[in-house]
Amino acid sequence: MSDRIPILRIGDILLVSVQFDLEDQTVLNLQEDLAEQIVAKSAQGVVIDISALEIVDSFVGRMLATVAAISRVLDARTVVVGMRPAVAITLVELGLSLGGVSTALDLEKGLAKLRRPASSASQ
Amino acid sequence: MTAPWAAGDDPQVYSVARSADVVQIRQVIRALAQQCRLSLVDQTKMITAASELARNTLTYGGGGTVSAGVVSDASKRGVAAVFEDSGPGIADVDQAMTDGWTSGGGLGLGLSGARRLVDDFRLHTVPGEGTTVTIIKWAR
């Protein structure tokens, strides 16, 4: 089984909302689909909403970091939004601090972050 | 190595042969953690540790089993999971437990990270025979 997560477009931003516990192959599919869609839609930004995710393990964490890096190379910026507090605590203790990944507390703040100039949105 | 299960607390055994099985293990551990009334943070840590170890069983051990259930001692209850494979084993355990070291394509956080997330962590491995990892998270 290799489900694909829908990628929505709003203007020049791609929006992904992860709504269920992901199998590893689905995670990899999302990574590839996003890279393709950034180029196909000339997207400037990507927002990944993980508010429904009860856990983020190293596999999903690596995907988030990889998507952030890929989008940077493709002249777009990625913001991960909606991480639950328990997930944040667990990720840091696991050893993944997602250093290169821009985050925001919710979708609205994430979109606002993408509207600001790149220099102020990098962290 | 002694199993963590008390008499009458026989665990369920689940196969780890496909990627979808890792998702199932997460769901099984979540249900057990809720049954034991682990705090939300402790539930999240235990499920995440189980996810890392189940993926190790699949990726490095070539598949295996997970036994999961509720354990108790005199004063407390917890969730235990035993990950077993008949894979190549781990030649250098200290190295394998080091953050960032990986024999595959991973981040090298699975074993070392999982140990930090749980209360009890035991690793038994014999090169050429396989690896068994036992983890327990106690309810506070």
Side-chain angles (χ1 to χ4, degrees), chain B residues 40-53:
Chain B
L40 184 59
V41 170
D42 285 348
Q43 281 180 36
T44 307
K45 287 180 179 179
M46 182 65 181
I47 299 165
T48 305
S51 182
E52 299 294 337
L53 295 173

Side-chain angles (χ1 to χ4, degrees), chain B residues 25 49-50 53-54 57 65-67 81-85 131-135:
Chain B
I25 298 302
L53 295 173
T57 299
T65 59
V66 178
S67 311
V82 181
F83 302 77
E84 269 185 290
D85 67 63
T131 301
T132 303
V133 180
T134 303
I135 57 173

